[in-house]
Amino acid sequence: MFRLPLFFEAEFVFGQFVVLLLAVYRGPIMGLVASSLASLPLVLAWGSFWSTLTFGLEAVFIGLLCKNKRSNIVLTVIAYWLFIGMPISWYSISQYEDFLDSHRTTILIKQLANGILYAHLAALLLPLSPVSRFFSLAGKIRARSIKEQSSHLISSLLITLGILFFFYTLNQNFNNFSEKFAQSHIAKHNSLEYQLSLIMEDNQKAIAELKYTLARVWEDKQQRGEVLLDFNSRNPSFKTMVVANKSGDLINSSPPELVQNVLSQNESINIADRDYFNQVIENSHVYVSPGFVGRGFGRDLIVAVSTAVPAANDSTKNLGVVEGSFVLTSEKSLKQAINNMSDSVEAVLLDQNDQVLMSSEKLKLLSLSPFKLVPGVSKFYDHDLVNLVDGNGIKSDEVYYIEESVFHWGWKLITLRNEQVHASVIEKSLILFAFSIVLVVLLSYLFAWLISHSWSYYMQKLIQLIDRGEDFEKELIEFEENDELPEEISKLYQEIKRSRLKITNMNQVLQNTVAERTEKLQLLNTKLNVMARQDALTKLDNRRVFNDSLNELWIECQRELIPLSMLIIDLDYFKKVNDTYGHPIGDQVLIYLGKELSQFKTDGVKCIARLGGEEFSMLIKGIEHKESIELAEKIRSHIAGLSISIGTDKFINVTVSIGVASIDATKFTSSKLYQLADNALYEAKHSGRNAVKHLELD
């Protein structure tokens, strides 16, 4: 839901527990300075300094309370956030537009949870002598009693387990709830989509069937009218229906008074200008129009469904158009389906022009108004949220998750899930989570104090020996060898020694294993780097290296104002070699050819690569076109004069065709060079092979 970059989270939590250590040991001023630095990531991420204020006050608060007497740092942090930090943050966040108001409580509880986490980390480090020496001023280190230390260890263990448990369960609950919430939205969306499809497809199917009936009675005006009236009576969802000839003239209507109504308003009875006529007159599909205000039908929102009427004896010829108009808002089942989604999900039905046809009443969208969504606040949130913009360009305060689908006739269904409803449920879980964490902390300290008190019995006896002035060294020896001491205390010392030895040995084994595997990994990486740049068969450069070299050399030649040349070398009749001797011999020939080509590597020849199959290439920097041709001829004649051994006393001869190209790099691109060389190779292949052809652009 709410997020920060992982680096910022880690740096901030680490920084804050260091701040607490400085505040405890060095005082409020040092803590305030350190807190300002630690909160810098939040300032950079949020563009607001309220985090510096709240965390700076925390450092001052902790530093003042611990100035003369060491207080329990976790309980102190909880008290600060509950009574100071969270109220200040509540006000500050409300002034910051990049946070959703519905997430305000979530952010505050996250602050409290983070506060407990980094306070707990600081509490774990406080008793350690190296930490005390590093952070404290000289002479300010205060020794802790064994009772305090044992209480600290027990409470730390309990709090750690509690925090881990609650964070885990909270994360599981968040994931499960978010998934169920999203699935519920998708299910409602799909259900509404299905209902809308049924309603509209029934109308389309009915119109599609009507056209064949009209085709049979097309020549009889009276029968056309009767068929239209009969159909309209059986399909009352169509408020009006018309039949027009191929020119668009209205020839029948239902109800019949429709024509007279139109004439009485001095309007044309030709519908050739309407989309529902133009879209179907030359084809056979059923067309569903965008929403419009009907001409001659008042201010009702009309949707037209139309199709062409084919000739009875020739289905490829259309006689005219039949169209049915229905008032979308009068479709009660459709209206109920859209308005009865759920309390958190709203629906909008759009036409092909993204105009509102119908929408949930809560959205208060006007029919035929333009529909627009804009990205909502997403800077710190895991989901893409949107805001709704009304026809006047005013953005809604609500933020939504969106599901969208497009019907095959062009309309769109958009369902919007109100993020605030989602956030309110999560907020309740977070409040319970925060209460549970605080309760775990309090109970952990109480339980730890009770246990540590009972465990400190023998420690108290040791203190009494010291207070009585007994011979400490003698009593201490007797104390260590005393059979009346609890077995656990005696075993603890021995077990610690054994455990430390085990850990040392395990660390040594682990270090050796890591070193060995690191060495193997480095070797493998070296091999992989070679394989990534080398052709596996010929050990020449591969196509990838060729492409990189071509671009690099083109840049160098352009900068140095020198020519760049390319040779593309193709082995003649290589398929015949494979077919005659087999692919292993073919591979052997390619390997041999690769070795022979490598002999021509000079300062000017920067790359020799196998492009694929039997095709090789050379990239040459800084020599004239004539020299490139001469080099190509040397290669051709050299290969032609070779006898390649393919077995005992068996040899074959091969030839190559070579395309040579040169360009002025300041005028032409590297891709042009490749195209020229390829064209030259084509000429060489089609001029009888075993030839060199060349092209040059300067």
Side-chain angles (χ1 to χ4, degrees), residues 212-250:
Y212 297 109
T213 305
L214 287 172
R216 290 195 295 270
V217 299
W218 185 260
E219 299 302 328
D220 190 323
K221 180 176 181 181
Q222 182 176 353
Q223 287 191 27
R224 280 200 315 265
E226 291 173 355
V227 167
L228 196 62
L229 285 171
D230 178 66
F231 176 84
N232 202 180
S233 65
R234 288 183 286 107
N235 296 272
S237 59
F238 291 106
K239 182 177 180 181
T240 62
M241 300 193 68
V242 297
V243 177
N245 61 24
K246 195 167 184 178
S247 299
D249 295 327
L250 210 65

mmCIF file of all heavy atoms in Angstrom, residues 212-250:
data_model
loop_
_atom_site.group_PDB
_atom_site.id
_atom_site.type_symbol
_atom_site.label_atom_id
_atom_site.label_comp_id
_atom_site.label_asym_id
_atom_site.label_seq_id
_atom_site.Cartn_x
_atom_site.Cartn_y
_atom_site.Cartn_z
ATOM 1 N N TYR A 212 -33.714 -10.521 -42.289
ATOM 2 C CA TYR A 212 -34.069 -11.565 -43.255
ATOM 3 C C TYR A 212 -35.585 -11.603 -43.504
ATOM 4 O O TYR A 212 -36.032 -11.865 -44.621
ATOM 5 C CB TYR A 212 -33.577 -12.920 -42.765
ATOM 6 C CG TYR A 212 -32.080 -12.983 -42.654
ATOM 7 C CD1 TYR A 212 -31.440 -13.021 -41.414
ATOM 8 C CD2 TYR A 212 -31.284 -12.970 -43.808
ATOM 9 C CE1 TYR A 212 -30.068 -13.071 -41.313
ATOM 10 C CE2 TYR A 212 -29.899 -13.021 -43.716
ATOM 11 C CZ TYR A 212 -29.302 -13.071 -42.468
ATOM 12 O OH TYR A 212 -27.946 -13.117 -42.373
ATOM 13 N N THR A 213 -36.372 -11.338 -42.459
ATOM 14 C CA THR A 213 -37.820 -11.273 -42.636
ATOM 15 C C THR A 213 -38.194 -10.097 -43.540
ATOM 16 O O THR A 213 -39.039 -10.216 -44.446
ATOM 17 C CB THR A 213 -38.507 -11.133 -41.270
ATOM 18 O OG1 THR A 213 -38.084 -12.190 -40.419
ATOM 19 C CG2 THR A 213 -40.021 -11.191 -41.413
ATOM 20 N N LEU A 214 -37.536 -8.941 -43.309
ATOM 21 C CA LEU A 214 -37.806 -7.774 -44.146
ATOM 22 C C LEU A 214 -37.381 -8.015 -45.589
ATOM 23 O O LEU A 214 -38.011 -7.513 -46.533
ATOM 24 C CB LEU A 214 -37.081 -6.549 -43.589
ATOM 25 C CG LEU A 214 -37.661 -5.944 -42.307
ATOM 26 C CD1 LEU A 214 -36.735 -4.857 -41.775
ATOM 27 C CD2 LEU A 214 -39.053 -5.363 -42.570
ATOM 28 N N ALA A 215 -36.309 -8.775 -45.777
ATOM 29 C CA ALA A 215 -35.827 -9.041 -47.132
ATOM 30 C C ALA A 215 -36.878 -9.777 -47.962
ATOM 31 O O ALA A 215 -37.018 -9.535 -49.175
ATOM 32 C CB ALA A 215 -34.535 -9.844 -47.076
ATOM 33 N N ARG A 216 -37.638 -10.669 -47.310
ATOM 34 C CA ARG A 216 -38.633 -11.460 -48.042
ATOM 35 C C ARG A 216 -39.849 -10.616 -48.456
ATOM 36 O O ARG A 216 -40.535 -10.937 -49.436
ATOM 37 C CB ARG A 216 -39.091 -12.646 -47.176
ATOM 38 C CG ARG A 216 -38.004 -13.707 -46.987
ATOM 39 C CD ARG A 216 -38.597 -14.994 -46.445
ATOM 40 N NE ARG A 216 -39.148 -14.801 -45.107
ATOM 41 C CZ ARG A 216 -38.483 -14.961 -43.980
ATOM 42 N NH1 ARG A 216 -37.201 -15.309 -44.039
ATOM 43 N NH2 ARG A 216 -39.057 -14.784 -42.810
ATOM 44 N N VAL A 217 -40.165 -9.550 -47.683
ATOM 45 C CA VAL A 217 -41.366 -8.751 -47.980
ATOM 46 C C VAL A 217 -40.992 -7.337 -48.421
ATOM 47 O O VAL A 217 -41.815 -6.424 -48.348
ATOM 48 C CB VAL A 217 -42.290 -8.706 -46.745
ATOM 49 C CG1 VAL A 217 -42.743 -10.098 -46.350
ATOM 50 C CG2 VAL A 217 -41.586 -8.013 -45.562
ATOM 51 N N TRP A 218 -39.753 -7.151 -48.867
ATOM 52 C CA TRP A 218 -39.243 -5.803 -49.125
ATOM 53 C C TRP A 218 -40.078 -5.042 -50.159
ATOM 54 O O TRP A 218 -40.292 -3.843 -50.055
ATOM 55 C CB TRP A 218 -37.784 -5.888 -49.583
ATOM 56 C CG TRP A 218 -37.160 -4.541 -49.751
ATOM 57 C CD1 TRP A 218 -36.960 -3.838 -50.898
ATOM 58 C CD2 TRP A 218 -36.678 -3.707 -48.695
ATOM 59 N NE1 TRP A 218 -36.378 -2.646 -50.644
ATOM 60 C CE2 TRP A 218 -36.182 -2.523 -49.274
ATOM 61 C CE3 TRP A 218 -36.606 -3.839 -47.309
ATOM 62 C CZ2 TRP A 218 -35.636 -1.506 -48.553
ATOM 63 C CZ3 TRP A 218 -36.045 -2.819 -46.577
ATOM 64 C CH2 TRP A 218 -35.574 -1.663 -47.204
ATOM 65 N N GLU A 219 -40.582 -5.735 -51.152
ATOM 66 C CA GLU A 219 -41.283 -5.047 -52.232
ATOM 67 C C GLU A 219 -42.701 -4.621 -51.845
ATOM 68 O O GLU A 219 -43.333 -3.832 -52.555
ATOM 69 C CB GLU A 219 -41.344 -5.954 -53.475
ATOM 70 C CG GLU A 219 -39.985 -6.347 -54.027
ATOM 71 C CD GLU A 219 -39.163 -5.126 -54.389
ATOM 72 O OE1 GLU A 219 -39.758 -4.098 -54.798
ATOM 73 O OE2 GLU A 219 -37.922 -5.186 -54.261
ATOM 74 N N ASP A 220 -43.217 -5.137 -50.730
ATOM 75 C CA ASP A 220 -44.588 -4.827 -50.304
ATOM 76 C C ASP A 220 -44.523 -3.895 -49.102
ATOM 77 O O ASP A 220 -44.164 -4.307 -47.996
ATOM 78 C CB ASP A 220 -45.331 -6.114 -49.939
ATOM 79 C CG ASP A 220 -46.832 -5.866 -49.727
ATOM 80 O OD1 ASP A 220 -47.187 -4.803 -49.184
ATOM 81 O OD2 ASP A 220 -47.633 -6.753 -50.082
ATOM 82 N N LYS A 221 -44.851 -2.629 -49.303
ATOM 83 C CA LYS A 221 -44.747 -1.627 -48.232
ATOM 84 C C LYS A 221 -45.616 -1.981 -47.046
ATOM 85 O O LYS A 221 -45.221 -1.825 -45.888
ATOM 86 C CB LYS A 221 -45.132 -0.250 -48.770
ATOM 87 C CG LYS A 221 -45.041 0.853 -47.727
ATOM 88 C CD LYS A 221 -45.345 2.206 -48.318
ATOM 89 C CE LYS A 221 -45.214 3.294 -47.253
ATOM 90 N NZ LYS A 221 -45.520 4.633 -47.807
ATOM 91 N N GLN A 222 -46.832 -2.445 -47.311
ATOM 92 C CA GLN A 222 -47.754 -2.763 -46.215
ATOM 93 C C GLN A 222 -47.203 -3.915 -45.373
ATOM 94 O O GLN A 222 -47.222 -3.867 -44.145
ATOM 95 C CB GLN A 222 -49.141 -3.130 -46.774
ATOM 96 C CG GLN A 222 -50.166 -3.419 -45.667
ATOM 97 C CD GLN A 222 -51.559 -3.689 -46.240
ATOM 98 O OE1 GLN A 222 -51.787 -3.528 -47.434
ATOM 99 N NE2 GLN A 222 -52.458 -4.093 -45.374
ATOM 100 N N GLN A 223 -46.706 -4.964 -46.042
ATOM 101 C CA GLN A 223 -46.150 -6.089 -45.291
ATOM 102 C C GLN A 223 -44.896 -5.668 -44.517
ATOM 103 O O GLN A 223 -44.671 -6.129 -43.395
ATOM 104 C CB GLN A 223 -45.812 -7.232 -46.250
ATOM 105 C CG GLN A 223 -47.040 -7.961 -46.772
ATOM 106 C CD GLN A 223 -46.667 -9.242 -47.506
ATOM 107 O OE1 GLN A 223 -45.630 -9.834 -47.228
ATOM 108 N NE2 GLN A 223 -47.527 -9.651 -48.435
ATOM 109 N N ARG A 224 -44.073 -4.788 -45.113
ATOM 110 C CA ARG A 224 -42.904 -4.286 -44.368
ATOM 111 C C ARG A 224 -43.339 -3.620 -43.082
ATOM 112 O O ARG A 224 -42.767 -3.849 -42.008
ATOM 113 C CB ARG A 224 -42.131 -3.258 -45.215
ATOM 114 C CG ARG A 224 -41.217 -3.829 -46.246
ATOM 115 C CD ARG A 224 -40.170 -2.812 -46.667
ATOM 116 N NE ARG A 224 -40.708 -1.481 -46.906
ATOM 117 C CZ ARG A 224 -41.066 -0.996 -48.088
ATOM 118 N NH1 ARG A 224 -40.944 -1.760 -49.167
ATOM 119 N NH2 ARG A 224 -41.527 0.231 -48.213
ATOM 120 N N GLY A 225 -44.369 -2.781 -43.182
ATOM 121 C CA GLY A 225 -44.863 -2.085 -41.997
ATOM 122 C C GLY A 225 -45.398 -3.055 -40.957
ATOM 123 O O GLY A 225 -45.177 -2.887 -39.751
ATOM 124 N N GLU A 226 -46.139 -4.091 -41.426
ATOM 125 C CA GLU A 226 -46.697 -5.060 -40.481
ATOM 126 C C GLU A 226 -45.582 -5.843 -39.787
ATOM 127 O O GLU A 226 -45.648 -6.100 -38.579
ATOM 128 C CB GLU A 226 -47.644 -6.014 -41.231
ATOM 129 C CG GLU A 226 -48.922 -5.333 -41.718
ATOM 130 C CD GLU A 226 -49.760 -6.254 -42.599
ATOM 131 O OE1 GLU A 226 -49.279 -7.378 -42.885
ATOM 132 O OE2 GLU A 226 -50.875 -5.853 -42.996
ATOM 133 N N VAL A 227 -44.574 -6.263 -40.561
ATOM 134 C CA VAL A 227 -43.434 -6.982 -39.967
ATOM 135 C C VAL A 227 -42.736 -6.113 -38.932
ATOM 136 O O VAL A 227 -42.380 -6.560 -37.833
ATOM 137 C CB VAL A 227 -42.443 -7.411 -41.070
ATOM 138 C CG1 VAL A 227 -41.116 -7.871 -40.444
ATOM 139 C CG2 VAL A 227 -43.048 -8.522 -41.912
ATOM 140 N N LEU A 228 -42.549 -4.834 -39.253
ATOM 141 C CA LEU A 228 -41.857 -3.921 -38.331
ATOM 142 C C LEU A 228 -42.661 -3.716 -37.059
ATOM 143 O O LEU A 228 -42.122 -3.736 -35.947
ATOM 144 C CB LEU A 228 -41.605 -2.584 -39.030
ATOM 145 C CG LEU A 228 -40.586 -1.655 -38.367
ATOM 146 C CD1 LEU A 228 -39.216 -2.315 -38.340
ATOM 147 C CD2 LEU A 228 -40.513 -0.332 -39.109
ATOM 148 N N LEU A 229 -44.003 -3.524 -37.212
ATOM 149 C CA LEU A 229 -44.851 -3.341 -36.030
ATOM 150 C C LEU A 229 -44.877 -4.589 -35.163
ATOM 151 O O LEU A 229 -44.831 -4.527 -33.930
ATOM 152 C CB LEU A 229 -46.272 -2.970 -36.467
ATOM 153 C CG LEU A 229 -46.487 -1.538 -36.960
ATOM 154 C CD1 LEU A 229 -47.875 -1.386 -37.546
ATOM 155 C CD2 LEU A 229 -46.289 -0.553 -35.810
ATOM 156 N N ASP A 230 -44.981 -5.755 -35.826
ATOM 157 C CA ASP A 230 -45.008 -7.010 -35.076
ATOM 158 C C ASP A 230 -43.706 -7.197 -34.297
ATOM 159 O O ASP A 230 -43.717 -7.579 -33.124
ATOM 160 C CB ASP A 230 -45.224 -8.174 -36.045
ATOM 161 C CG ASP A 230 -45.211 -9.505 -35.308
ATOM 162 O OD1 ASP A 230 -46.119 -9.745 -34.489
ATOM 163 O OD2 ASP A 230 -44.264 -10.292 -35.540
ATOM 164 N N PHE A 231 -42.591 -6.921 -34.964
ATOM 165 C CA PHE A 231 -41.293 -7.061 -34.289
ATOM 166 C C PHE A 231 -41.182 -6.103 -33.106
ATOM 167 O O PHE A 231 -40.732 -6.468 -32.026
ATOM 168 C CB PHE A 231 -40.166 -6.788 -35.282
ATOM 169 C CG PHE A 231 -38.794 -6.820 -34.653
ATOM 170 C CD1 PHE A 231 -38.108 -8.003 -34.470
ATOM 171 C CD2 PHE A 231 -38.183 -5.637 -34.219
ATOM 172 C CE1 PHE A 231 -36.851 -8.023 -33.890
ATOM 173 C CE2 PHE A 231 -36.936 -5.658 -33.636
ATOM 174 C CZ PHE A 231 -36.269 -6.861 -33.469
ATOM 175 N N ASN A 232 -41.620 -4.860 -33.304
ATOM 176 C CA ASN A 232 -41.527 -3.850 -32.247
ATOM 177 C C ASN A 232 -42.402 -4.204 -31.046
ATOM 178 O O ASN A 232 -42.051 -3.943 -29.893
ATOM 179 C CB ASN A 232 -41.908 -2.486 -32.803
ATOM 180 C CG ASN A 232 -41.339 -1.334 -31.983
ATOM 181 O OD1 ASN A 232 -41.544 -0.179 -32.286
ATOM 182 N ND2 ASN A 232 -40.597 -1.632 -30.912
ATOM 183 N N SER A 233 -43.563 -4.840 -31.333
ATOM 184 C CA SER A 233 -44.447 -5.244 -30.226
ATOM 185 C C SER A 233 -43.821 -6.367 -29.412
ATOM 186 O O SER A 233 -44.047 -6.484 -28.204
ATOM 187 C CB SER A 233 -45.807 -5.680 -30.779
ATOM 188 O OG SER A 233 -45.679 -6.857 -31.577
ATOM 189 N N ARG A 234 -43.027 -7.222 -30.087
ATOM 190 C CA ARG A 234 -42.359 -8.313 -29.370
ATOM 191 C C ARG A 234 -41.049 -7.865 -28.736
ATOM 192 O O ARG A 234 -40.478 -8.579 -27.907
ATOM 193 C CB ARG A 234 -42.097 -9.472 -30.338
ATOM 194 C CG ARG A 234 -43.353 -10.224 -30.748
ATOM 195 C CD ARG A 234 -43.064 -11.424 -31.647
ATOM 196 N NE ARG A 234 -42.697 -11.035 -33.008
ATOM 197 C CZ ARG A 234 -41.483 -11.102 -33.508
ATOM 198 N NH1 ARG A 234 -40.486 -11.518 -32.734
ATOM 199 N NH2 ARG A 234 -41.218 -10.724 -34.741
ATOM 200 N N ASN A 235 -40.549 -6.735 -29.123
ATOM 201 C CA ASN A 235 -39.301 -6.201 -28.568
ATOM 202 C C ASN A 235 -39.534 -4.759 -28.129
ATOM 203 O O ASN A 235 -39.054 -3.803 -28.772
ATOM 204 C CB ASN A 235 -38.178 -6.261 -29.607
ATOM 205 C CG ASN A 235 -37.823 -7.666 -30.003
ATOM 206 O OD1 ASN A 235 -36.988 -8.312 -29.387
ATOM 207 N ND2 ASN A 235 -38.485 -8.167 -31.055
ATOM 208 N N PRO A 236 -40.288 -4.574 -27.048
ATOM 209 C CA PRO A 236 -40.678 -3.221 -26.638
ATOM 210 C C PRO A 236 -39.515 -2.362 -26.151
ATOM 211 O O PRO A 236 -39.694 -1.175 -25.913
ATOM 212 C CB PRO A 236 -41.687 -3.489 -25.518
ATOM 213 C CG PRO A 236 -41.309 -4.827 -24.970
ATOM 214 C CD PRO A 236 -40.821 -5.618 -26.142
ATOM 215 N N SER A 237 -38.334 -2.974 -25.970
ATOM 216 C CA SER A 237 -37.204 -2.150 -25.535
ATOM 217 C C SER A 237 -36.837 -1.108 -26.585
ATOM 218 O O SER A 237 -36.269 -0.067 -26.266
ATOM 219 C CB SER A 237 -35.987 -3.031 -25.239
ATOM 220 O OG SER A 237 -35.610 -3.759 -26.393
ATOM 221 N N PHE A 238 -37.153 -1.389 -27.878
ATOM 222 C CA PHE A 238 -36.927 -0.403 -28.931
ATOM 223 C C PHE A 238 -38.071 0.609 -28.907
ATOM 224 O O PHE A 238 -39.226 0.269 -29.169
ATOM 225 C CB PHE A 238 -36.860 -1.081 -30.299
ATOM 226 C CG PHE A 238 -35.633 -1.926 -30.491
ATOM 227 C CD1 PHE A 238 -35.721 -3.305 -30.463
ATOM 228 C CD2 PHE A 238 -34.394 -1.342 -30.673
ATOM 229 C CE1 PHE A 238 -34.598 -4.086 -30.635
ATOM 230 C CE2 PHE A 238 -33.260 -2.113 -30.842
ATOM 231 C CZ PHE A 238 -33.354 -3.492 -30.816
ATOM 232 N N LYS A 239 -37.751 1.851 -28.582
ATOM 233 C CA LYS A 239 -38.783 2.880 -28.519
ATOM 234 C C LYS A 239 -39.304 3.210 -29.908
ATOM 235 O O LYS A 239 -40.503 3.406 -30.119
ATOM 236 C CB LYS A 239 -38.226 4.138 -27.858
ATOM 237 C CG LYS A 239 -39.259 5.250 -27.714
ATOM 238 C CD LYS A 239 -38.668 6.449 -26.994
ATOM 239 C CE LYS A 239 -39.716 7.559 -26.843
ATOM 240 N NZ LYS A 239 -39.173 8.742 -26.175
ATOM 241 N N THR A 240 -38.398 3.275 -30.873
ATOM 242 C CA THR A 240 -38.783 3.541 -32.258
ATOM 243 C C THR A 240 -37.976 2.645 -33.166
ATOM 244 O O THR A 240 -36.859 2.221 -32.823
ATOM 245 C CB THR A 240 -38.518 5.007 -32.650
ATOM 246 O OG1 THR A 240 -37.112 5.266 -32.546
ATOM 247 C CG2 THR A 240 -39.286 5.962 -31.783
ATOM 248 N N MET A 241 -38.531 2.376 -34.348
ATOM 249 C CA MET A 241 -37.831 1.594 -35.354
ATOM 250 C C MET A 241 -38.123 2.212 -36.714
ATOM 251 O O MET A 241 -39.216 2.720 -36.951
ATOM 252 C CB MET A 241 -38.268 0.129 -35.334
ATOM 253 C CG MET A 241 -38.007 -0.553 -34.002
ATOM 254 S SD MET A 241 -38.163 -2.327 -34.126
ATOM 255 C CE MET A 241 -36.756 -2.686 -35.159
ATOM 256 N N VAL A 242 -37.150 2.158 -37.600
ATOM 257 C CA VAL A 242 -37.350 2.700 -38.939
ATOM 258 C C VAL A 242 -36.726 1.764 -39.960
ATOM 259 O O VAL A 242 -35.798 1.008 -39.667
ATOM 260 C CB VAL A 242 -36.728 4.108 -39.098
ATOM 261 C CG1 VAL A 242 -37.386 5.095 -38.195
ATOM 262 C CG2 VAL A 242 -35.217 4.061 -38.860
ATOM 263 N N VAL A 243 -37.266 1.824 -41.163
ATOM 264 C CA VAL A 243 -36.685 1.144 -42.308
ATOM 265 C C VAL A 243 -36.431 2.214 -43.363
ATOM 266 O O VAL A 243 -37.306 3.036 -43.651
ATOM 267 C CB VAL A 243 -37.621 0.055 -42.863
ATOM 268 C CG1 VAL A 243 -37.008 -0.590 -44.107
ATOM 269 C CG2 VAL A 243 -37.909 -0.997 -41.805
ATOM 270 N N ALA A 244 -35.224 2.224 -43.916
ATOM 271 C CA ALA A 244 -34.855 3.198 -44.948
ATOM 272 C C ALA A 244 -34.354 2.464 -46.169
ATOM 273 O O ALA A 244 -33.778 1.369 -46.062
ATOM 274 C CB ALA A 244 -33.786 4.150 -44.430
ATOM 275 N N ASN A 245 -34.606 3.062 -47.345
ATOM 276 C CA ASN A 245 -34.087 2.443 -48.563
ATOM 277 C C ASN A 245 -32.598 2.744 -48.702
ATOM 278 O O ASN A 245 -31.995 3.391 -47.845
ATOM 279 C CB ASN A 245 -34.874 2.912 -49.789
ATOM 280 C CG ASN A 245 -34.775 4.429 -49.968
ATOM 281 O OD1 ASN A 245 -33.830 5.055 -49.493
ATOM 282 N ND2 ASN A 245 -35.747 5.008 -50.649
ATOM 283 N N LYS A 246 -32.038 2.309 -49.804
ATOM 284 C CA LYS A 246 -30.591 2.421 -49.972
ATOM 285 C C LYS A 246 -30.126 3.868 -50.049
ATOM 286 O O LYS A 246 -28.959 4.179 -49.783
ATOM 287 C CB LYS A 246 -30.177 1.664 -51.238
ATOM 288 C CG LYS A 246 -28.678 1.399 -51.308
ATOM 289 C CD LYS A 246 -28.340 0.397 -52.381
ATOM 290 C CE LYS A 246 -26.843 0.080 -52.340
ATOM 291 N NZ LYS A 246 -26.482 -0.937 -53.351
ATOM 292 N N SER A 247 -31.055 4.791 -50.376
ATOM 293 C CA SER A 247 -30.702 6.212 -50.440
ATOM 294 C C SER A 247 -30.837 6.899 -49.087
ATOM 295 O O SER A 247 -30.500 8.074 -48.949
ATOM 296 C CB SER A 247 -31.605 6.919 -51.454
ATOM 297 O OG SER A 247 -31.431 6.352 -52.737
ATOM 298 N N GLY A 248 -31.357 6.196 -48.116
ATOM 299 C CA GLY A 248 -31.520 6.773 -46.789
ATOM 300 C C GLY A 248 -32.885 7.355 -46.543
ATOM 301 O O GLY A 248 -33.133 7.911 -45.464
ATOM 302 N N ASP A 249 -33.793 7.247 -47.495
ATOM 303 C CA ASP A 249 -35.147 7.778 -47.302
ATOM 304 C C ASP A 249 -35.934 6.852 -46.385
ATOM 305 O O ASP A 249 -35.914 5.620 -46.535
ATOM 306 C CB ASP A 249 -35.866 7.891 -48.648
ATOM 307 C CG ASP A 249 -35.192 8.908 -49.549
ATOM 308 O OD1 ASP A 249 -34.659 9.900 -49.018
ATOM 309 O OD2 ASP A 249 -35.183 8.696 -50.782
ATOM 310 N N LEU A 250 -36.641 7.464 -45.425
ATOM 311 C CA LEU A 250 -37.440 6.712 -44.469
ATOM 312 C C LEU A 250 -38.688 6.174 -45.174
ATOM 313 O O LEU A 250 -39.476 6.933 -45.732
ATOM 314 C CB LEU A 250 -37.849 7.644 -43.316
ATOM 315 C CG LEU A 250 -38.050 7.020 -41.955
ATOM 316 C CD1 LEU A 250 -36.749 6.481 -41.434
ATOM 317 C CD2 LEU A 250 -38.614 8.067 -41.001
#
